[in-house]
Amino acid sequence: MIRNQSIYIGPTYKGLIQHQVFYNGIPESVYRLLQEVGPVQRLLIPVHLLPTIRKKMRMAGTQEYNAYQTMQAGKAQINDEGVNHVMSSSYYDTPVPNKQYNSAGDVINPADSYDPDGIQKVRVTGAAAQTVTLQDAATAAGNGTPFSPEDSNYTLTFEITGTSASRTVLFELAGPSGQYIPVTAFSVTDPTKYGPQSTGGSNTAPESWQVEVPAGYLFRARIGAVAGGNVTVKGKAVT
């Protein structure tokens, strides 16, 4: 649902920037693009669906693949899919301070109603992005510090930097057994790049990756090899 947190993963188009993230709705200008340009609908997605949609973007013939190729080639046209039936603009409204959503998805005024205990019926919950450090200026191979969400599934976006001349960083996930296995992460900047590890890289060209980490699991960015400097892996995790 775009109402919560969404990300645009297509090429930059008419003020809509690639990898732009929206919280609690989208601007009216973006809503108009959704009405007018079919491929934009395929490429503006809920953050939690990012790994799934990225896979589809790499599969020739899928709607997501075709949408990205159309946008990348600069061939997107107004109403090129006859898209004029998307949900009403109120669904996409960016909330103002006196607007909140109830569990049915309706925009309501927080002062409309209160429980017998004096607490308003709509109780806003949520947490800011959590800072995660997986490796901190490491100069030798090692496991680093794992990330372990306990209360909810998280999307972890992390960056690999450092002064090393060469490095190998392995992406691994451990379940209840505690045994780590390779897990696929997805490049944030290149939709064709994904895998269970990263090699090479430099501090002048940091790499950004994204991975889904289920509640109760452990994720780590293990350094398999490093030479000529250090490696740092830090990121942000959101529910």
Side-chain angles (χ1 to χ4, degrees), residues 17-232:
I17 302 171
Q18 188 175 39
H19 304 127
Q20 186 173 4
V21 177
F22 301 96
Y23 300 88
N24 291 332
I26 60 175
E28 181 65 24
S29 59
V30 177
Y31 170 69
R32 288 197 297 269
L33 287 178
L34 282 171
Q35 288 181 302
E36 298 172 347
V37 184
V40 172
Q41 283 199 50
R42 306 291 180 188
L43 302 173
L44 180 59
I45 62 171
V47 166
H48 72 274
L49 293 180
L50 186 58
T52 299
I53 300 301
R54 282 191 179 278
K55 289 179 182 179
K56 291 183 177 181
M57 286 172 58
R58 298 179 179 90
M59 299 171 61
T62 64
Q63 293 173 322
E64 292 76 12
Y65 176 89
N66 293 336
Y68 188 89
Q69 297 302 317
T70 297
M71 299 290 289
Q72 190 173 49
K75 296 181 179 179
Q77 300 177 2
I78 300 299
N79 286 331
D80 63 345
E81 289 185 13
V83 180
N84 55 14
H85 60 276
V86 293
M87 301 172 190
S88 66
S89 60
S90 63
Y91 182 88
Y92 296 98
D93 278 347
T94 300
V96 294
N98 68 339
K99 279 188 179 179
Q100 294 177 355
Y101 293 98
N102 64 17
S103 59
D106 302 317
V107 177
I108 66 170
N109 189 315
D112 282 346
S113 183
Y114 289 83
D115 287 329
D117 61 2
I119 303 299
Q120 65 185 51
K121 286 184 177 296
V122 177
R123 307 182 187 188
V124 179
T125 61
Q130 179 179 343
T131 299
V132 176
T133 299
L134 301 169
Q135 299 282 354
D136 191 6
T139 57
N143 295 333
T145 303
F147 169 60
S148 178
E150 296 181 358
D151 56 345
S152 180
N153 298 343
Y154 275 75
T155 298
L156 173 62
T157 304
F158 58 94
E159 190 175 60
I160 304 175
T161 59
T163 61
S164 60
S166 65
R167 63 190 181 224
T168 299
V169 180
L170 300 106
F171 312 137
E172 298 176 334
L173 193 68
S177 68
Q179 181 177 353
Y180 282 93
I181 60 175
V183 64
T184 298
F186 297 85
S187 170
V188 171
T189 56
D190 183 353
T192 66
K193 186 177 180 182
Y194 59 97
Q197 67 178 35
S198 172
T199 59
S202 68
N203 193 46
T204 57
E207 304 173 45
S208 292
W209 295 85
Q210 193 165 74
V211 66
E212 293 292 313
V213 186
Y217 278 63
L218 296 165
F219 172 79
R220 69 185 183 188
R222 178 169 63 88
I223 298 177
V226 57
N230 60 54
V231 179
T232 292

